[in-house]
Amino acid sequence: MEADSTTYEDNRKSSNSEICLPFNCNPANLKLYEELVSDSGNRSLESQLITKLQAFGLLPVNITCPEDAPTCKVVCKLARVIDRVQWVCEGCSKRQPIRTGSFFFKLQCTILQTLQLILAWCEDAELNSAAQYFDVKPRVASLIYDKLDDLVINEIDKIKLGGDNTVVLSELYPDCMNSLSPDTTEQPHVHRILMLADTKQIPTNYRLHVIREDLRKLPGHVNSEQCMKEEIERVISNTVMAQSMFVSGSTMPGVDGTVPLTALLQHCDPEMQHFLRTRIWSQAVSLCTASRDLCSLPCPTFSCATSVQRYLDTSLYRLRYGDGFYEHMLRLVAMEYTQNVIV
């Protein structure tokens, strides 16, 4: 059934039914989801949900009529549509979906299903499994996942690493693997990934960038290392604040204005030396290693590099926020998509 169709469909569930999900869910995320979908019994579940989402900022509390005539006044009214509520203009009788001006607009699933898939995305649930469980077409679920990916990637692009009195570390993956930990897997590393770590942030704020110049080089191309160095310099310039102390690991090419890791370690005790050499990179290396499943073997491509980059960006964002990420993402969705126009 298409969203906002005029066919009535009763999907209400008993308020006593225990919520079961096909993936593990952090307590704060589950608590918020339960609050949103709970049924107080005084109105339809859909109507209650819409009121809660309006209060949360995920749906507009008012919109303008497209006719915009002096007599137009748009109000919320119950209706025999899938959302159970729609906007109706009392002046010209024009009707609009309740999800107009929101993330939910034109999505071919219910508002509840969209919330369920956002929760699944927040918990890094596998797309097809979540789509099947919540009875959403895979292409619709993929669209929702992609929109959330894009939203997070845009947020990451706004964040700079470092600052005054801040050290930003760098290493190249998989070149660093021999020094950080022995890699016993048989699957080859097909991408180089620039790893940056802001030591001032707790938890550590990472940036992981898939090197694209490796994909351009031809056999015997003598300038390949120079091209990679230039790409790394561009990333550093766009990502790291100028007043930061930028520290190059042993696997990094020579970059102007950087401090070698060996020079920094001279001022650290043995425990801090171990932390800066190895432990600080544990999460970043784990993500880089996991991303190899997305790679094209035996030859990497720009397409798989893009997939790896999206995976790394979204995974880092999830790690940064942890429990309570569902609320964070819903508020981010509200800020980006909801249009609250005062009539």
Side-chain angles (χ1 to χ4, degrees), residues 44-213:
S44 70
L45 180 59
E46 293 86 353
S47 182
Q48 295 175 57
L49 179 59
I50 285 165
T51 300
K52 293 173 185 175
L53 296 186
Q54 286 180 323
F56 204 91
L58 283 162
L59 288 173
V61 294
N62 45 60
I63 65 171
T64 56
C65 178
E67 298 296 327
D68 201 21
T71 57
C72 287
K73 181 181 179 182
V74 182
V75 296
C76 260
K77 287 191 175 182
L78 297 177
R80 291 178 63 84
V81 295
I82 198 167
D83 293 330
R84 303 291 296 277
V85 178
Q86 65 183 3
W87 294 108
V88 179
C89 179
E90 294 182 331
C92 67
S93 300
K94 187 172 182 63
R95 300 170 185 271
Q96 298 180 77
I98 193 66
R99 52 180 83 188
T100 299
S102 76
F103 180 86
F104 308 96
F105 188 58
K106 290 188 176 180
L107 289 177
Q108 294 180 351
C109 60
T110 67
I111 290 176
L112 175 58
Q113 287 170 322
T114 305
L115 290 174
Q116 290 166 335
L117 285 170
I118 294 175
L119 177 62
W121 180 92
C122 288
E123 298 293 352
D124 200 17
E126 200 275 323
L127 186 150
N128 289 321
S129 297
Q132 182 178 13
Y133 186 84
F134 295 124
D135 196 23
V136 177
K137 294 177 181 177
R139 64 176 178 81
V140 177
S142 180
L143 174 62
I144 293 171
Y145 269 44
D146 286 345
K147 290 176 74 172
L148 295 172
D149 284 352
D150 291 339
L151 186 57
V152 161
I153 291 168
N154 288 337
E155 286 300 303
I156 288 175
D157 288 342
K158 299 175 186 176
I159 301 171
K160 296 283 189 179
L161 301 183
D164 291 329
N165 302 315
T166 301
V167 174
V168 177
L169 302 178
S170 62
E171 285 287 2
L172 273 180
Y173 174 94
D175 308 55
C176 64
M177 291 301 290
N178 288 335
S179 59
L180 296 183
S181 63
D183 184 15
T184 58
T185 61
E186 296 180 357
Q187 183 178 351
H189 304 275
V190 297
H191 289 294
R192 270 177 165 173
I193 299 172
L194 172 64
M195 304 192 302
L196 304 177
D198 186 341
T199 60
K200 189 176 182 179
Q201 300 292 327
I202 300 176
T204 303
N205 191 5
Y206 297 104
R207 195 64 52 85
L208 303 175
H209 173 81
V210 179
I211 302 295
R212 304 300 180 95
E213 286 300 334

